[in-house]
Amino acid sequence: MTYRPAVATAPDLTTLTLGVEEEYLLLDPRTGESLPVADRVLTALSGSARDQSRQEFRHSMVEMVTPVTADLAELRAHLVALRRSAGRAAEAAGARLVAVGATPVHEPHRTVPDEPRYHAMSRRFGPVAHDPAVCACHVHVGMPDRELAVQVCNHLRPWLPVVQAITANSPLYDGRDTGHASWRSMQLERWPSIGPTPHFESAADYDATVDDLINTGIMLDAAMVYWYARPSAAYPTVEIRVGDVCPAVDDTVLVAGLARALVATLADDVRAGVPARRIRDCLVSAAHWRAAHDGLEGDLIDLRSGCARPAWDLVDDLVDTVAPALARHGDLDYVRHQLARLRRDGNGATRQRRVMARTDNDVRAVLDHLAVETRAG
C-alpha cells in the first residue's frame, strides 16, 4: 500500500487517517471456478486504478488499495471507483470480480505468480501455500508512534473477534456450505504466522519476537507477520487484518470506521495508563474460532468476562465503547445507520445463505448476487 501519512508526526491523534486494501476473486461467470487471469486484469487497468492495484498470491486474485484519507465518504468513493475499474478489467478478461472471502467452488490453477518471494514461500510451506485462494480486507489506521501502535494491538485483542464476525463472508467451499460463516479463517489456520496477535511488553519485545520467528524459519521476513493486528511492517499504521473481504462497499466502510474508532479509543486508554487485559491465548483463539463459525448469527465469546453472549450484544458493546471516537471523527451516524442495515440484512455470510435458501442451494445464484454487490455503489 502506498502510504503517505496525513497525520502529524507528533502524537496528536485527534483525527486518524485510513487506508483499505481489498482482495477479490476472479471467477468464471458460467462455472464459478477461479480463473487465472489476474495478469490480464492488471494489464487492462489504467491511470490511478493501475497505480492502486497489486499482484496477489494467486493468479485468480487481484488487490486494490485506496489512497489515504481521513474521511469515510471519500474512502467510500475510492472503493466504489476501484471496484468498478477492476470489475471492467475483469469482464474484459472473461471473468467476474467477486468480493468473497474464500474460493466458493474450485481453484484449478494453484501455482504462484513468477516472483522470487512467492516461490520461496511455496518451497518453504509446501501444500499450505497452494490452498485455494482466500481474500481479505485490511484496514490501516494512521499511527505515527510505533511504541503506541504495539500497545494498541495489545488492547485490540478482546475486540477483534467482534470485527471478524461482522466481516464474515465465506460460508461456501467446494460448492457447499461449510457450516462456518468465515471458511477463510479456517483455511488460514495452517499458516504458522497467522492468528491472534500475541501480547507484547514493548516495541522492542515485538521486534525481538519477530526476529526470533525469522531466525528459526517460521517466517521468511517481517512482511510475513500475518497476525490479526500489527504495526505495519512498512507504514506508520496499525493494520487490522482479521476480516474477510466484504461483499458491499458500505460493509467495508463500516468496518473501517469501527477500526479507526477502536484504534483511537484504545490509544487514548494507553496514554491514560489503562493496562491491556491479559487474556490467555487459548481463550483468544477460541473466541476467533467462534466468530468464524457463528458470525453474527449466534454467540461470541466476550473476552472481558470469558462468557458466551449473543453476537449483537457484543457489537452493541463495541459501539458504546468507541462512540466518542466515532463522534469525534464525524462517523457516528453513518456507523449506526450501517449497523442497523446489517442487523436487518445480515453480514455477507448470512446474505449468501439467504440466497441459497431461496434458490434450492444454487451456488451460481449466490455468485450472481455477490457480483452485483461487489460492483454496486
Side-chain angles (χ1 to χ4, degrees):
M1 161 177 199
T2 304
Y3 190 91
R4 298 178 179 86
V7 295
T9 54
D12 177 9
L13 305 179
T14 304
T15 301
L16 302 184
T17 56
L18 281 169
V20 170
E21 302 165 347
E22 286 193 314
E23 298 164 346
Y24 313 106
L25 282 183
L26 301 167
L27 301 183
D28 186 311
R30 181 178 59 85
T31 67
E33 290 189 348
S34 300
L35 285 181
V37 295
D39 287 348
R40 291 165 57 189
V41 172
L42 294 173
T43 299
L45 293 170
S46 61
S48 60
R50 182 68 185 93
D51 294 338
Q52 300 302 132
S53 67
R54 301 291 184 271
Q55 184 181 57
E56 260 301 331
F57 196 55
R58 286 282 171 271
H59 293 287
S60 59
M61 296 172 62
V62 294
E63 180 180 65
M64 304 300 290
V65 180
T66 71
V68 179
T69 180
D71 181 71
L72 286 191
E74 184 177 326
L75 178 69
R76 188 183 189 282
H78 287 313
L79 287 166
V80 169
L82 290 172
R83 286 182 176 215
R84 289 180 175 172
S85 294
R88 288 192 294 269
E91 289 173 2
R96 288 201 300 192
L97 188 82
V98 178
V100 63
T103 296
V105 178
H106 182 56
E107 179 96 34
H109 304 281
R110 301 189 191 181
T111 58
V112 299
D114 192 18
E115 295 288 340
R117 188 166 184 274
Y118 289 159
H119 287 303
M121 291 170 69
S122 179
R123 289 191 299 271
R124 175 70 58 85
F125 300 105
V128 173
H130 296 272
D131 278 346
V134 293
C135 295
C137 172
H138 300 161
V139 180
H140 287 258
V141 181
M143 183 59 58
D145 184 330
R146 193 163 181 278
E147 189 70 50
L148 181 57
V150 170
Q151 298 302 324
V152 166
C153 289
N154 289 337
H155 284 253
L156 277 167
R157 281 160 55 93
W159 293 113
L160 291 183
V162 185
V163 177
Q164 183 180 15
I166 291 170
T167 66
N169 183 41
S170 51
L172 302 181
Y173 178 75
D174 199 24
R176 293 185 293 273
D177 193 325
T178 64
H180 291 74
S182 173
W183 186 248
R184 167 187 162 272
S185 299
M186 298 295 97
Q187 197 171 314
L188 287 174
E189 283 193 346
R190 297 199 297 168
W191 287 86
S193 57
I194 290 179
T197 311
H199 183 103
F200 294 104
E201 296 301 326
S202 63
D205 182 27
Y206 179 97
D207 293 338
T209 301
V210 172
D211 287 344
D212 287 344
L213 291 169
I214 294 170
N215 293 336
T216 56
I218 303 303
M219 301 177 186
L220 297 182
D221 50 42
M224 282 197 72
V225 176
Y226 296 146
W227 295 321
Y228 295 153
R230 67 179 186 180
S232 172
Y235 314 113
T237 66
V238 168
E239 181 183 1
I240 295 176
R241 46 188 300 120
V242 70
D244 291 356
V245 66
C246 296
V249 164
D250 279 317
D251 299 333
T252 303
V253 180
L254 166 63
V255 171
L258 288 171
R260 173 165 65 177
L262 257 176
V263 170
T265 300
L266 299 177
D268 289 345
D269 286 349
V270 172
R271 292 187 295 178
V274 177
R277 293 175 182 270
R278 300 302 291 259
I279 308 166
R280 286 175 290 174
D281 289 344
C282 61
L283 283 178
V284 179
S285 295
H288 281 288
W289 181 88
R290 191 67 183 265
H293 186 272
D294 286 18
L296 293 176
E297 295 301 306
D299 290 343
L300 298 176
I301 297 176
D302 186 342
L303 286 170
R304 299 164 300 171
S305 66
C307 298
R309 297 176 56 205
W312 276 102
D313 287 358
L314 284 176
V315 174
D316 291 340
D317 285 356
L318 170 59
V319 175
D320 289 345
T321 298
V322 304
L326 288 170
R328 188 165 78 228
H329 287 89
D331 301 339
L332 184 58
D333 289 344
Y334 175 85
V335 165
R336 284 179 169 165
H337 176 73
Q338 294 304 324
L339 282 172
R341 174 185 61 84
L342 215 63
R343 196 186 294 264
R344 180 189 69 239
D345 297 339
N347 62 10
T350 298
R351 301 200 296 266
Q352 289 185 55
R353 284 169 169 156
R354 286 179 179 166
V355 175
M356 291 277 282
R358 68 172 180 258
T359 61
D360 195 25
N361 295 323
D362 186 347
V363 173
R364 286 178 299 179
V366 175
L367 300 182
D368 290 344
H369 164 81
L370 283 169
V372 171
E373 276 206 297
T374 301
R375 295 283 295 275

